[in-house]
């Protein structure tokens, strides 16, 4: 392949091979103007993006970039660094990019950042659904912040306070189960595919995806303060689609990795299910029947036919547990927050209060026995 030099309005891109290019430009330095070059191994489009970034950084006239150039030159590399550093989830980036490509790109890609008109921004936002407008404005604000940060423009017009379209009348179902209703639901679910993830969510406080991602051989049964309880490591989750669990340690955030402690009779029932699954050669507590775990969409569909599902979505079982664990079982606030995988506020939560899973299980068992539910279980 012959070398092909493509001159641009600033600098040039010389193609050596399909994935190898040489960038050349002139740059002012303390010692006068100097020729600069850089070899990059990427596609031609990516090489042009890199030259555009260099132009913004080093050109004499510092051309005002478009919103699309700010996205490509600054925002994308910044997001990729955040993903690599664990500061942003890949799913969050994918959602932002989908919004950019579907909604913001067509309208704003070719508009210079100093030519954004607030009246046009407002008109555009009012044509979008509520959630789309919110996310779009969030993305555009951060994209164009870079132009202010690097002193290309003085202000970011997307940072003005805009009217967002009114949210539709639809609201998520917000019902919760009382402890009595949760017990009744467990009886109704007995022997079903939903039973194990229901116990994990409603009596162990897991999120829906976390309830799908537990392996049967991970559940252990212990006794503390006369209370038998199942200990379940929460280290992975299954998404809305597909059937693959995340790698161990990949959850909503870093502190979500934890151990759920589920007291009897719920924990002992979960252990019974575990033993039955293992004897049958099954790997997952939410095994869908073919050796793979349920995803959250499938689990929600299986939950729908049951009597309480009309008012209480599966995601609200975690909220139900949080409520009756504190007010019926008497578990203290800090213990419950840590069992949920939340980070406690302040310096104490950040640096000092770091109880082990065993200590949290012991605190739960002690309060549960004191509440009287332990005695009721033993009586039955």
């Amino acid at each position: 392949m012959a070398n092909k030099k493509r001159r641009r309005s600033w600098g040039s891109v010389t193609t050596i091979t399909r994935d190898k290019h040489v960038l050349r430009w002139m740059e002012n330095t303390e010692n006068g103007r100097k020729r600069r070059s850089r070899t990059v191994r990427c596609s031609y489009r990516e090489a042009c993006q890199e030259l555009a970034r260099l132009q913004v950084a080093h050109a004499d006239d510092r051309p005002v970039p478009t919103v699309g150039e700010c996205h490509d030159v600054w925002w994308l590399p910044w997001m990729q660094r955040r993903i690599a550093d664990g500061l942003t989830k890949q799913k969050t980036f994918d959602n932002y990019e989908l919004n950019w490509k579907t909604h913001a790109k067509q309208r704003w890609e070719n508009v210079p950042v100093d030519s954004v008109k607030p009246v046009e921004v407002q008109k555009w936002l009012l044509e979008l659904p509520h959630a789309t407008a919110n996310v779009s404005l969030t993305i555009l604000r951060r994209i164009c912040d870079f132009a202010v940060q690097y002193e290309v423009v003085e202000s970011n017009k997307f940072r003005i306070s805009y009217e967002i379209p009114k949210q539709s009348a639809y609201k998520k179902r917000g019902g919760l189960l009382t402890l009595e209703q949760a017990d009744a639901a467990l009886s109704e679910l007995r022997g079903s595919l939903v039973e194990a993830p229901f116990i994990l969510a409603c009596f162990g406080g897991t999120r829906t995806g976390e309830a799908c991602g537990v392996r049967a051989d991970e559940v252990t049964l212990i006794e503390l303060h006369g209370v038998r309880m199942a200990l379940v490591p929460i280290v992975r989750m299954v998404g809305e689609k597909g059937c693959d669990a995340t790698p161990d340690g990949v959850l909503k955030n870093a502190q979500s990795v934890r151990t759920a402690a589920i007291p009897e009779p719920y924990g002992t029932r979960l252990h019974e299910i575990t033993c039955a699954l293992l004897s049958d050669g099954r790997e997952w507590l939410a095994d869908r029947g073919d050796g793979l775990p349920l995803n959250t969409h499938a689990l929600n569909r299986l939950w729908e036919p049951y009597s309480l599902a009309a008012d209480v979505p599966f995601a609200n079982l975690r909220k139900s547990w949080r409520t009756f664990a504190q007010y019926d079982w008497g578990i203290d606030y800090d213990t419950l927050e840590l069992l949920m995988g939340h980070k406690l506020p302040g310096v104490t939560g950040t640096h000092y209060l770091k109880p082990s899973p065993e200590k949290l299980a012991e605190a739960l068992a002690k309060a549960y026995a004191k509440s009287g539910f332990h005695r009721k279980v033993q009586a039955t």
Side-chain angles (χ1 to χ4, degrees):
M1 179 178 179
N3 294 356
K4 185 175 182 180
K5 184 175 182 179
R6 298 179 175 90
R7 290 206 59 82
R8 298 165 59 84
S9 59
W10 187 86
S12 66
V13 179
T14 301
T15 299
I16 306 302
T17 63
R18 191 170 184 176
D19 61 351
K20 182 180 179 181
H21 311 274
V22 177
L23 312 180
R24 294 184 175 88
W25 70 96
M26 294 294 295
E27 181 180 324
N28 285 335
T29 71
E30 295 179 354
N31 299 316
R33 288 178 64 78
K34 299 289 185 180
R35 294 183 181 276
R36 302 294 192 197
S37 66
R38 178 179 300 175
T39 300
V40 293
R41 294 187 177 275
C42 56
S43 67
Y44 175 71
R45 180 176 180 274
E46 291 169 331
C48 292
Q49 289 176 349
E50 177 62 14
L51 186 65
R53 188 190 68 78
L54 292 167
Q55 180 183 11
V56 171
H58 300 296
D60 291 338
D61 51 359
R62 294 188 63 125
V64 175
T66 64
V67 175
E69 288 171 337
C70 290
H71 170 276
D72 295 343
V73 173
W74 290 316
W75 188 83
L76 272 180
W78 174 72
M79 285 296 290
Q80 288 162 357
R81 290 193 298 271
R82 287 182 62 85
I83 293 170
D85 293 340
L87 300 175
T88 297
K89 295 288 187 182
Q90 181 67 44
K91 184 177 180 180
T92 301
F93 170 75
D94 292 341
N95 288 338
Y96 282 170
E97 271 296 87
L98 179 62
N99 182 284
W100 163 257
K101 292 175 181 178
T102 307
H103 302 288
K105 182 177 181 179
Q106 182 177 1
R107 176 61 183 86
W108 300 107
E109 180 183 24
N110 296 318
V111 178
V113 289
D114 64 347
S115 299
V116 175
K117 304 298 183 185
V119 66
E120 294 297 328
V121 177
Q122 182 63 85
K123 179 182 177 182
W124 177 70
L125 288 172
L126 291 175
E127 295 171 352
L128 299 175
H130 172 82
T132 302
N134 261 327
V135 175
S136 297
L137 192 56
T138 297
I139 298 168
L140 288 166
R141 282 172 171 169
R142 191 63 190 93
I143 287 172
C144 293
D145 277 347
F146 287 105
V148 177
Q149 178 180 340
Y150 297 129
E151 300 180 340
V152 177
V153 294
E154 292 184 357
S155 64
N156 179 356
K157 297 299 177 60
F158 291 106
R159 282 289 173 191
I160 295 173
S161 179
Y162 290 101
E163 178 187 355
I164 299 297
K166 185 178 179 180
Q167 192 168 11
S168 63
Y170 170 78
K171 293 184 179 179
K172 290 184 178 180
R173 291 170 292 164
L176 302 179
L177 295 182
T178 64
L179 183 55
E180 292 74 18
Q181 289 174 321
D183 285 333
L186 183 58
S187 297
E188 185 181 358
L189 292 167
R190 192 174 181 88
S192 73
L193 190 57
V194 184
E195 185 182 9
F198 176 84
I199 293 173
L200 286 165
C202 195
F203 301 106
T206 66
R207 299 178 178 91
T208 306
E210 294 169 350
C212 296
V214 176
R215 291 192 171 94
D217 62 0
E218 293 173 328
V219 180
T220 58
L221 193 66
I222 66 169
E223 184 171 329
L224 292 169
H225 295 281
V227 177
R228 291 177 297 167
M229 62 171 53
L231 297 184
V232 186
I234 306 301
V235 297
R236 70 187 74 84
M237 62 183 180
V238 181
E240 184 178 359
K241 300 177 181 179
C243 53
D244 293 326
T246 62
D248 289 4
V250 178
L251 292 172
K252 182 178 180 180
N253 45 52
Q255 62 265 21
S256 292
V257 177
R258 63 198 188 280
T259 298
I262 306 173
E264 58 180 317
Y266 320 108
T268 49
R269 174 56 187 158
L270 184 68
H271 190 255
E272 290 175 7
I273 296 171
T274 295
C275 293
L277 289 170
L278 290 174
S279 66
D280 198 30
R282 301 294 182 90
E283 180 180 3
W284 302 94
L285 275 183
D287 195 312
R288 67 184 192 181
D290 60 356
L292 297 172
L294 292 169
N295 58 41
T296 60
H297 178 74
L299 179 55
N300 285 321
R301 290 293 298 271
L302 290 172
W303 168 245
E304 286 177 1
Y306 292 96
S307 57
L308 292 169
D311 298 317
V312 181
F314 195 93
N316 282 22
L317 299 179
R318 173 174 158 91
K319 299 178 183 179
S320 302
W321 167 84
R322 180 62 176 79
T323 302
F324 62 66
Q326 181 169 336
Y327 292 103
D328 293 321
W329 294 351
I331 314 301
D332 71 271
Y333 177 89
D334 286 356
T335 297
L336 287 175
E337 286 295 287
L338 293 169
L339 286 170
M340 292 185 80
H342 289 171
K343 182 179 178 181
L344 293 176
V347 174
T348 298
T350 302
H351 298 290
Y352 295 106
L353 195 58
K354 306 290 182 183
S356 65
E358 294 76 18
K359 284 291 184 183
L360 290 173
E362 184 177 2
L364 188 148
K366 187 175 181 180
Y368 186 76
K370 185 178 179 180
S371 70
F373 286 92
H374 177 54
R375 291 189 293 275
K376 292 178 183 178
V377 170
Q378 287 180 332
T380 56

